[in-house]
Amino acid sequence: MIFSRRFLPYFLTQCLGALNDNIYKNVLLLLVAYSQVDKLPMDPNLFVNLAAGVFILPFFLFSAHAGGIADNMDKAKLIRRLKLLELGIMSCAAVALVTEHYLAMLLLLFMTGSQSAYFGPVKYSLLPQALKEDELVSGNAWVEMGTFLSILVGTLSAGLLVANEGATWLAAITVATLSLAGYLSSRAIPALPPQNKVHTVKFAPLSGTWRSVQRVRRTPTIWMAILAISWFWFLGATYLTQFPNFAREHLHGDATVVSVLLALFSIGIAVGSFLCERISFGRVELGVLPFGVAGLTLFGVDMLFALPGLAAPQSLYGAAEFVQLSAHWRLMFDLFMVGISGGLFIVPLYAFIQTRAARGECARAIAANNIVNAFFMVVSALLSMLLLGPVGLGIPELFLLLALMNAVVAFYVYRQVPEFAQRFISYLLSHLMYRVSINGRQHIPKEGAALMVCNHVSYVDALLLLGASTRPVRFVMDKSISEMPLLKYLFRHAGVIPICSPKQCEATYNAAFERIDEALMDGELVCIFPEGRLSPDGVLGEFRPGVEKILSRRPVPVIPMALKGLWGSFFSHKDGHALATRPKRFWSRVEIEIAPPVDGVATTRHTLQQKVAELLAPEFMKGA
């Protein structure tokens, strides 16, 4: 995938853009801080804060408009226009650098932020259109790796450029050359036309921003994913902002030690992004999120205890001396692991937004994400100023507070969206207790209503089947199972539809069919176990008439599925009631077979039973 024309030109384009942005921004700040103080038209501290503000302001003003444009025109054409705009901006920036015109540089920094605000939505919304579904996580991993390594290289390169004689000329040539290279690489991106009917996008900076955020809030899962990503940028912005003072005051290091900390954090995120792709097995897998959450908290907390506590040396440590001292290794490891945890955290969330956003609206969802990200980064700066100033916290205590807050934020997100917790349990079951393989995943429709029917072998069938679909699934479940002490907290508020026999409770029975019909009418996936009970002997039981009742009211496509390998597990009824016997095996192989959809108009319960029976292995049909 990485070397395909679908991805490589785009990847190079976005890396060159991120690299150029960071070189220009950091060169400007370093010139202000060290070599051109007497030529500034204002106080240096005011200039630095103003520069940070003018770069981030466009994300509030223009992201909503950018998302609408990206959804309503060819994305490749839009990228080429944006890179041509970048070439013009950076050519002017080169002139401003050489002539040392700092007000012009400030204006051009605003224009650079504006170009980035328009590039952000198309940068991520392009991926689900250009890549196959099983390439999406890998594509996001490469993008995050490229972005953070570009930030690292750009920051370090700015320092090297400013340290040379003729710094302004070198910087001017560099930014102009990189923008030209980015435009040339963008010309190789293949056409990506809009996926829906094209609409005229109205430019409304303030009201558009508000409407963009309100639109994504209507989809709670996407909104929670955006909040989670924004929280990571809150953390990341705080770490990156405090590294210089942290290195000087608490590690007794010079500017080169700051570069070491930045490198550990950025490379950690790159490694975590690829690790996420590996442990997700190429799928959009929210189940890996808790590993990232746990790492951000545990290693963030340990950074406080990993401080070396060495006496201040006569002169500040350089990078080589800092790395050689074993007293610093634990702190370096913690910071690297914080970066890895961050990669595990954000890659599946970006992929999740791309797969869950409505067709043709991905860029607007990403635009809303960028708006909220920018807001969180501004809040991080304000909170740091408050806590480190009037409140009187030290930077290590600030890092500790952030790590503890991370656990609180994660608890809130998982409480608001039970599907996240379900997918974590599903991931643990699928990869720790079982080795689950899925055949026929492509038969699950990416949009629209469908009824999934499957044999019923164990209490964890629903959790394993959930992992077969990137879309949310509404499970129809025996009321007694949905209310089990170990499972009811997991299924509560998660859209499970409890059902029982009409003899047991006619109201519950009738309400279940009403809720099923409503879910299918709304275009959702619904999964039902037509046997009506857990298998008592491992043999496929007779399908009950309920499935025909569903289809008579709403004849949607039906997807036959089969679970193989769960009979005899701790959660099945073999050798006694499930959960009542000691587990006899772990790491058993489980297969999920998915057949092509069947027309819901013509099929019957007997036909569907035969379809499921054909998917099951002969030895399974024999029972024990």
Side-chain angles (χ1 to χ4, degrees), residues 399-619:
F399 288 169
L400 174 64
L401 179 62
L402 290 178
L404 296 176
M405 288 173 62
N406 180 71
V408 175
V409 170
F411 177 77
Y412 171 76
V413 170
Y414 273 80
R415 186 174 178 83
Q416 293 297 311
V417 187
E419 184 190 349
F420 285 14
Q422 288 181 349
R423 290 191 177 273
F424 176 55
I425 301 298
S426 176
Y427 180 85
L428 294 179
L429 286 170
S430 299
H431 300 289
L432 296 182
M433 192 166 187
Y434 302 112
R435 290 168 292 176
V436 177
S437 60
I438 303 170
N439 301 311
R441 190 197 304 271
Q442 71 277 10
H443 298 313
I444 299 177
K446 292 182 172 61
E447 56 186 20
L451 183 67
M452 304 159 69
V453 297
C454 188
N455 60 312
H456 205 7
V457 189
S458 76
Y459 283 131
V460 296
D461 291 352
L463 290 170
L464 293 176
L465 291 175
L466 180 68
S469 171
T470 55
R471 293 177 60 188
V473 181
R474 299 284 300 275
F475 287 95
V476 183
M477 189 176 297
D478 188 279
K479 185 178 180 182
S480 62
I481 297 178
S482 67
E483 294 179 348
M484 290 182 62
L486 295 176
L487 298 176
K488 66 179 180 181
Y489 298 107
L490 193 61
F491 292 131
R492 185 178 294 173
H493 310 304
V496 166
I497 301 174
I499 194 170
C500 63
S501 70
K503 295 180 181 179
Q504 184 179 353
C505 180
E506 187 172 355
T508 300
Y509 177 80
N510 292 329
F513 284 98
E514 290 299 325
R515 292 178 64 186
I516 293 169
D517 190 64
E518 290 172 4
L520 294 174
M521 181 175 61
D522 291 339
E524 297 183 69
L525 290 178
V526 176
C527 182
I528 189 170
F529 302 101
E531 295 168 274
R533 61 172 183 169
L534 262 64
S535 174
D537 53 12
V539 176
L540 180 67
E542 182 179 355
F543 280 16
R544 297 185 179 182
V547 66
E548 293 177 338
K549 183 175 180 178
I550 294 170
L551 295 173
S552 66
R553 296 182 62 179
R554 192 75 52 183
V556 297
V558 186
I559 305 167
M561 307 175 70
L563 273 165
K564 300 190 289 186
L566 277 171
W567 179 247
S569 73
F570 176 59
F571 302 102
S572 72
H573 281 332
K574 185 177 182 182
D575 299 327
H577 195 279
L579 307 177
T581 59
R582 180 180 299 177
K584 295 180 180 179
R585 69 181 191 222
F586 292 93
W587 286 93
S588 55
R589 186 177 299 278
V590 173
E591 296 178 49
I592 300 176
E593 298 285 349
I594 306 172
V598 176
D599 186 356
V601 175
T603 192
T604 66
R605 60 185 171 119
H606 301 296
T607 303
L608 293 174
Q609 181 178 333
Q610 181 60 35
K611 290 283 186 182
V612 174
E614 291 171 358
L615 294 174
L616 292 168
E619 58 268 23

Side-chain angles (χ1 to χ4, degrees), residues 123-286:
K123 167 183 173 179
Y124 285 105
S125 63
L126 174 150
L127 291 175
Q129 192 173 346
L131 303 181
K132 300 174 184 176
E133 186 173 333
D134 59 357
E135 297 174 332
L136 198 54
V137 172
S138 179
N140 277 279
W142 277 97
V143 169
E144 293 308 317
M145 180 275 296
T147 298
F148 278 92
L149 290 186
S150 296
I151 291 173
L152 171 63
V153 174
T155 303
L156 299 180
S157 299
L160 295 175
L161 288 170
V162 172
N164 281 276
E165 292 185 14
T168 54
W169 277 98
L170 286 173
I173 294 170
T174 300
V175 297
T177 302
L178 287 174
S179 59
L180 176 61
Y183 172 69
L184 293 176
S185 64
S186 73
R187 296 191 61 83
I189 300 175
L192 293 164
Q195 296 180 290
N196 285 341
K197 183 180 178 180
V198 174
H199 298 281
T200 302
V201 182
K202 182 180 178 182
F203 180 69
L206 297 179
S207 60
T209 296
W210 176 251
R211 286 197 301 270
S212 179
V213 173
Q214 289 298 104
R215 185 184 295 113
V216 295
R217 289 192 67 181
R218 297 179 196 139
T219 308
T221 52
I222 292 180
W223 176 241
M224 284 299 120
I226 287 175
L227 289 182
I229 291 173
S230 299
W231 168 249
F232 171 77
W233 283 106
F234 181 102
L235 283 175
T238 305
Y239 278 121
L240 295 176
T241 302
Q242 301 306 324
F243 277 166
N245 289 334
F246 179 64
R248 186 184 68 253
E249 297 174 8
H250 300 277
L251 302 178
H252 313 300
D254 61 15
T256 61
V257 173
V258 178
S259 299
V260 171
L261 301 182
L262 176 62
L264 287 168
F265 185 70
S266 302
I267 295 173
I269 290 177
V271 172
S273 299
F274 278 104
L275 180 60
C276 177
E277 192 271 337
R278 292 291 182 183
I279 66 176
S280 296
F281 301 96
R283 296 162 47 194
V284 178
E285 181 56 82
L286 287 177

Side-chain angles (χ1 to χ4, degrees), residues 1-9 11-12 131 135 138 142-143 145 274:
M1 176 204 73
I2 179 62
F3 296 109
S4 68
R5 192 179 169 216
R6 294 177 293 125
F7 185 77
L8 184 60
F11 176 71
L12 293 175
L131 303 181
E135 297 174 332
S138 179
W142 277 97
V143 169
M145 180 275 296
F274 278 104

